[in-house]
Amino acid sequence: MTERQTLIHCARVYLAQSRHFTGRHRGWRFRLLEWTGQCRRRAMALRDAPAQRSLF
């Protein structure tokens, strides 16, 4: 698995886990959603990086 695929997988896992934390654990749910966003942003940055290098 590449790093990008690993990040996408982690984001999916965090998102699925966040659905289980409701009620008293609501704060933990928002932490998982924050991590999901971070993983998705990092995966998108890895996707765009090779295209930029090929221009030069």
Side-chain angles (χ1 to χ4, degrees), residues 7-16 18 29-45:
L7 288 169
I8 291 170
H9 174 73
C10 288
R12 288 178 179 158
V13 169
Y14 293 149
L15 187 61
S18 73
R29 181 180 191 176
F30 288 116
R31 174 64 62 169
L32 287 168
L33 290 173
E34 181 182 328
W35 290 349
T36 300
Q38 290 174 359
C39 286
R40 291 184 69 205
R41 284 188 292 274
R42 287 175 56 198
M44 289 298 290

Side-chain angles (χ1 to χ4, degrees), residues 17-30:
Q17 285 295 311
S18 73
R19 293 182 182 130
H20 295 285
F21 289 101
T22 58
R24 294 188 310 175
H25 303 290
R26 191 174 173 104
W28 183 243
R29 181 180 191 176
F30 288 116

